[in-house]
Amino acid sequence: MDDKKLKSLFGELVNGEIKNAPNFEDMWQKAEKNDIKKPLFKPFRLVAAASILIAGSLCVMLWLNRKPATVQTTVQMLEWQSPTAGLLKIESNVQPSGSILEWQSPTSVLMIPSSIKKSN
């Protein structure tokens, strides 16, 4: 394809676009005539604001009308026992002694007396 033919095809394309394009002045005047003011609050915004106010009011009402815990609940909490507490019961023949002074470590027999240590 030579340059002249390419230029003529491109010119036809540009002229076709110019003919089909709307006139700028006409479009500008049309836009100025249709200058409609948008409402300040759209219906969606109004519904959202009302929902937030209702939810906030409900939270405040529930907060102000709350009742303090009763003594009955506290007693029940003190008497509560884990459902698995029965599994932890260990039966043994060892009786607890009455004083901590009498306690002896179950591994004390494994310890070497100090007199033997000094002789080595």
Side-chain angles (χ1 to χ4, degrees):
M1 214 188 264
D2 60 347
D3 266 351
K4 290 182 182 180
K5 188 173 182 180
L6 187 60
K7 283 183 182 179
S8 91
L9 289 173
F10 184 72
E12 288 176 18
L13 182 64
V14 170
N15 288 335
E17 287 181 3
I18 291 174
K19 288 179 184 175
N20 293 331
N23 185 3
F24 178 78
E25 290 297 325
D26 293 340
M27 294 297 289
W28 187 263
Q29 288 174 2
K30 195 175 195 181
E32 284 181 338
K33 288 180 185 176
N34 292 333
D35 186 25
I36 299 171
K37 293 183 180 179
K38 296 180 180 178
L40 187 58
F41 291 104
K42 293 182 179 180
F44 175 74
R45 290 182 185 171
L46 217 72
V47 170
S51 300
I52 290 171
L53 285 174
I54 290 170
S57 300
L58 183 63
C59 289
V60 168
M61 285 175 38
L62 290 173
W63 179 262
L64 294 176
N65 291 330
R66 70 183 192 280
K67 295 179 182 176
T70 61
V71 176
Q72 179 82 16
T73 306
T74 306
V75 171
Q76 288 175 353
M77 294 276 299
L78 292 175
E79 294 174 358
W80 179 83
Q81 189 177 17
S82 168
T84 59
L87 299 174
L88 298 174
K89 290 182 182 175
I90 300 172
E91 294 184 26
S92 68
N93 297 331
V94 178
Q95 297 293 325
S97 62
S99 170
I100 187 109
L101 297 174
E102 299 170 7
W103 181 81
Q104 189 176 11
S105 170
T107 59
S108 62
V109 292
L110 302 174
M111 298 175 71
I112 301 173
S114 59
S115 61
I116 297 174
K117 286 183 188 177
K118 290 180 184 177
S119 64
N120 288 338

